[in-house]
Amino acid sequence: MLRDRSLIPLSQQHHNGLALCVLTRRSLAADSSAANLAKLARRIVDRFELELVNHFEIEEQVLFPACGPLPIIAELIREHRDIEAIVGEVRAAPAPDIVESFCALLTRHIRREENELFEEIQRALPPEELQRLGLEIDARAVRICL
């Protein structure tokens, strides 16, 4: 199903998150030195602070409340907290396994939102509600250039 335009700012942030994970994994596989690990950890923390915090806030304050009591919502919020905790670990003591945990969880989380939640939202919510949500999402979404 094509993505409804109301959700495109969130999907663009998802794309950035997936790109971060792919590039991080590739870089770590090519160079596992302490210097590169530190650089990758800084990039993860920076992207988290620049975009993921904003993304989680929009979902939790705007999108999720409009979805009603879907079971997946509680799971996604729990994953937000888990991602935040892993970023704290990356910030405090970066290690290859922690970086990989971050990439694995963020990738899985994004895929669930895109393939399950967003598809359900597009089927269940009326066009007027999607448009209303889209205006607020668009106004609040941080946009960064990779």
Side-chain angles (χ1 to χ4, degrees), residues 11-112:
S11 285
Q12 289 170 335
Q13 289 178 332
H14 283 160
H15 173 80
N16 292 345
L18 292 173
L20 171 65
C21 293
V22 167
L23 295 173
T24 298
R25 284 173 157 157
R26 283 182 188 165
S27 181
L28 195 56
D31 176 6
S32 60
S33 69
N36 193 46
L37 180 61
K39 180 185 85 170
L40 296 172
R42 281 191 307 276
R43 183 178 299 147
I44 288 170
V45 171
D46 288 347
R47 289 299 167 118
F48 175 77
E49 292 173 352
L50 286 170
E51 192 171 35
L52 289 174
V53 169
N54 170 257
H55 183 85
F56 293 172
E57 287 174 355
I58 292 170
E59 288 180 339
E60 293 178 23
Q61 295 170 9
V62 178
L63 187 63
F64 293 172
C67 294
L70 298 175
I72 192 172
I73 299 295
E75 296 168 19
L76 294 173
I77 291 171
R78 187 177 59 251
E79 289 176 0
H80 286 177
R81 301 296 83 80
D82 292 345
I83 292 166
E84 291 167 355
I86 293 172
V87 170
E89 292 179 43
V90 168
R91 182 183 280 123
D97 60 325
I98 297 170
V99 169
E100 175 53 35
S101 292
F102 168 82
C103 291
L105 178 55
L106 183 60
T107 298
R108 188 173 62 250
H109 177 80
I110 288 169
R111 297 275 185 229
R112 285 189 75 202

Side-chain angles (χ1 to χ4, degrees), residues 122-137:
Q122 289 180 194
R123 279 191 297 275
L125 293 181
E128 306 79 32
E129 179 67 3
L130 281 170
Q131 183 179 15
R132 182 192 70 75
L133 290 172
L135 292 172
E136 188 165 356
I137 290 167

